[in-house]
Amino acid sequence: MELFERPKHGEIAVLVQIHFTGLHNVSNITQDEREFIELVHSVGATDVAFVTGSRQSPDSRLFVGRGKVEEIHQQVSLYDAEVVIFDHTLSPAQERNLEKELQCRVLDRTGLILDIFAQRARSHEGKLQVELAQLKHISTRLVRGWTHLERQKGGIGLRGPGETQLETDRRLLNIRIKQINKRLEKVKNQREQGRQSRKKADIPTVSLVGYTNAGKSTLFNQMTQAEVYAADQLFATLDPTLRRLDLPNQQPIILADTVGFIRHLPHDLVAAFRSTLQETIEADLLLHVIDVSDEQRDLYCEQVQKVLREIGADNVPQIEVMNKIDLIDQSPRVIEAHDNIPTRIYLSAQNNLGLDLLQEELSKIFAGKLFDGILKIPPKFGKIRAILYQEKAIMHEDISDKGEFLLQTKIQKNYLKRILRQEGLRLDDLIE
């Protein structure tokens, strides 16, 4: 028996989206419908009917009214649908009651997004995080569809004394959840060690954030010449990828590509991916990638800011990267705020337009962390000269009248100080 009820590819689905007048803005309906259909297509389902309606608030038992249930049931019967997918979060009881009424499987928005994540996770960590979120979600829904678990089940090794199968399943789920949490804790510690190493080397981290399918991975690939999977679909990237990037002034940074955000991102997923999102929380700068051609970009931006607040990253400095300018026939440009700090950069990652502007602005922002000048090194400290050559930090070399090495050097300032400190030298005493 499978633990997770994953929709099969090509499954025939009836979609349901209800507008609650007391909860949502009417103008959001069109955008929600388009995104909902994209999500459904992402799991490979075939939508044959789209049922909409409005009411003041959700019904506690069926989520929708009795008349709407009958309308949905008619569509299920007409198209012989295998699943009804709601663009809302349903309680376990509502899912169970709807399945009895509709005589087919019912999936809510959380289950839908979890399924997409399950299909897209590629790394060991990503798979663990998705499984953790799935286990937490399904643990509240064990009764649904598992009628054989309601009674005592005999058999050697199948249960503890006096324990129902349902209780056994819950206990096994809790054991598995604890195992995954332990494994993720190890991964978290490994990531933390990596972050501490970068901090010691004083290499800034720049994290790409944004609504799903805004073009983050395409931008990441263009800037780092990496080959991260990028596609015109929701949640193409789940696993965080970090690459070192040398800016035009030779300043190194770490660029991090992260999972895209979405409206009503399930809390279990946010919690499960917290270790992944830690790269965003502890970044020195966020590049908020926005699809400038999308009419709903302002709404998407609000959702991204909401998730950033939820994970505690709302205080990290941000630059808005207005991507896909080729679709609206705009030119690359930089909009600067006070102190020459840009607030917005217009570019097209796909067509490599304006990426030079972005890298130049990043160079300016992190220039203070770089030493770019001439060092006057006494002859007896040839070891320092050798280390700097090894680090490819010397641009040009001369010899002074006193035999000192005059080294035109470009290197991380804190790293240089650490090299000099090991030999008992101070940077201020060696600057030409």
Side-chain angles (χ1 to χ4, degrees):
M1 181 179 60
E2 284 204 13
L3 184 60
F4 304 120
E5 300 176 30
R6 183 167 300 165
K8 306 177 191 71
H9 284 282
E11 213 167 0
I12 298 172
V14 171
L15 313 188
V16 181
Q17 186 183 77
I18 305 299
H19 170 58
F20 295 103
T21 54
L23 301 178
H24 294 290
N25 190 306
V26 178
S27 63
N28 292 347
I29 291 179
T30 305
Q31 177 271 324
D32 289 348
E33 180 178 325
R34 186 188 64 178
E35 180 183 274
F36 181 32
I37 292 172
E38 278 190 59
L39 285 171
V40 172
H41 290 171
S42 293
V43 296
T46 303
D47 56 305
V48 291
F50 198 105
V51 178
T52 60
S54 63
R55 57 182 288 131
Q56 186 66 29
S57 60
D59 178 72
S60 59
R61 185 174 176 276
L62 293 169
F63 191 77
V64 293
R66 173 64 59 182
K68 190 59 64 177
V69 170
E70 291 177 5
E71 182 184 342
I72 297 168
H73 190 261
Q74 286 174 3
Q75 297 297 323
V76 170
S77 301
L78 178 63
Y79 294 102
D80 197 21
E82 300 160 271
V83 61
V84 174
I85 305 177
F86 280 74
D87 188 28
H88 308 275
T89 300
L90 303 176
S91 71
Q94 286 169 337
E95 274 192 19
R96 196 160 58 246
N97 294 334
L98 283 166
E99 285 189 342
K100 288 178 182 176
E101 295 283 342
L102 300 173
Q103 293 299 298
C104 73
R105 288 177 50 252
V106 171
L107 195 67
D108 72 349
R109 182 183 175 87
T110 300
L112 180 65
I113 293 175
L114 283 172
D115 188 80
I116 298 171
F117 272 54
Q119 289 184 28
R120 303 278 162 78
R122 288 175 172 80
S123 71
H124 176 62
E125 180 191 6
K127 290 174 181 176
L128 282 175
Q129 290 170 323
V130 173
E131 186 182 353
L132 178 62
Q134 284 180 315
L135 287 169
K136 288 182 176 179
H137 181 66
I138 205 172
S139 64
T140 62
R141 288 160 162 77
L142 276 180
V143 177
R144 176 169 63 84
W146 294 22
T147 54
H148 66 285
L149 305 181
E150 296 288 0
R151 55 186 179 274
Q152 292 279 359
K153 184 174 180 181
I156 296 172
L158 288 178
R159 61 179 172 82
E163 188 177 56
T164 65
Q165 184 64 37
L166 182 59
E167 289 167 341
T168 302
D169 290 326
R170 284 206 175 112
R171 180 165 51 79
L172 292 174
L173 275 178
N174 288 331
I175 290 171
R176 180 62 180 156
I177 287 172
K178 286 178 182 176
Q179 289 174 342
I180 293 175
N181 277 323
K182 281 184 180 178
R183 290 189 190 178
L184 286 174
E185 191 62 33
K186 286 183 180 178
V187 175
K188 180 182 176 184
N189 292 336
Q190 290 168 357
R191 284 191 178 281
E192 187 58 36
Q193 288 174 2
R195 274 192 291 271
Q196 292 304 323
S197 298
R198 296 198 298 273
K199 282 181 181 177
K200 285 179 182 176
D202 201 32
I203 300 179
T205 299
V206 177
S207 184
L208 299 175
V209 299
Y211 208 77
T212 183
N213 206 24
K216 296 183 298 301
S217 294
T218 303
L219 178 61
F220 181 86
N221 288 342
Q222 289 280 27
M223 291 180 71
T224 63
Q225 303 305 307
E227 294 182 357
V228 172
Y229 179 65
D232 185 19
Q233 59 185 23
L234 303 182
F235 302 118
T237 303
L238 285 189
D239 305 310
T241 310
L242 283 74
R243 292 285 187 279
R244 175 177 166 138
L245 169 67
D246 289 325
L247 297 173
N249 64 350
Q250 301 303 311
Q251 161 72 44
I253 64 170
I254 298 296
L255 195 63
D257 189 18
T258 59
V259 62
F261 301 149
I262 197 168
R263 178 179 59 92
H264 305 319
L265 190 66
H267 288 288
D268 284 341
L269 271 179
V270 174
F273 278 77
R274 190 164 289 277
S275 62
T276 298
L277 295 170
Q278 199 72 25
E279 300 295 347
T280 298
I281 299 168
E282 299 193 12
D284 296 278
L285 177 70
L286 300 182
L287 295 182
H288 180 181
V289 183
I290 300 166
D291 181 353
V292 72
S293 69
D294 199 309
E295 295 176 357
Q296 302 296 326
R297 60 181 179 273
D298 291 339
L299 179 66
Y300 293 162
C301 288
E302 289 175 19
Q303 297 299 325
V304 170
Q305 298 302 336
K306 183 179 177 182
V307 177
L308 289 176
R309 284 193 297 272
E310 191 171 340
I311 65 174
D314 50 323
N315 291 324
V316 181
Q318 263 184 60
I319 295 177
E320 290 184 344
V321 178
M322 311 303 284
N323 191 25
K324 306 185 184 182
I325 58 171
D326 53 302
L327 300 180
I328 59 170
D329 198 25
Q330 278 202 18
S331 301
R333 59 195 170 102
V334 177
I335 296 180
E336 295 183 344
H338 54 84
D339 299 328
N340 293 325
I341 300 297
T343 55
R344 187 173 285 182
I345 297 175
Y346 288 79
L347 55 77
S348 170
Q350 184 74 43
N351 295 330
N352 203 5
L353 294 172
L355 266 65
D356 53 338
L357 292 178
L358 175 59
Q359 296 206 33
E360 285 170 15
E361 293 301 328
L362 292 175
S363 296
K364 292 177 189 174
I365 291 170
F366 296 115
K369 293 180 176 285
L370 192 71
F371 174 80
D372 185 359
I374 297 175
L375 289 177
K376 185 170 59 177
I377 307 291
K380 65 178 181 178
F381 292 106
K383 180 181 176 182
I384 292 175
R385 173 178 170 273
I387 292 173
L388 292 176
Y389 266 111
Q390 187 178 341
E391 294 293 329
K392 298 179 180 177
I394 298 176
M395 307 293 110
H396 181 70
E397 177 180 358
D398 277 323
I399 302 291
S400 72
D401 297 338
K402 299 178 181 178
E404 299 161 317
F405 300 114
L406 300 178
L407 308 176
Q408 180 68 46
T409 309
K410 229 180 221 186
I411 193 172
Q412 280 286 111
K413 191 177 288 184
N414 282 0
Y415 183 46
L416 175 59
K417 287 180 178 179
R418 192 158 68 247
I419 294 171
L420 297 175
R421 196 161 51 240
Q422 290 172 354
E423 300 297 321
L425 299 173
R426 291 175 65 250
L427 177 60
D428 293 344
D429 297 334
L430 302 177
I431 297 176
E432 174 64 18

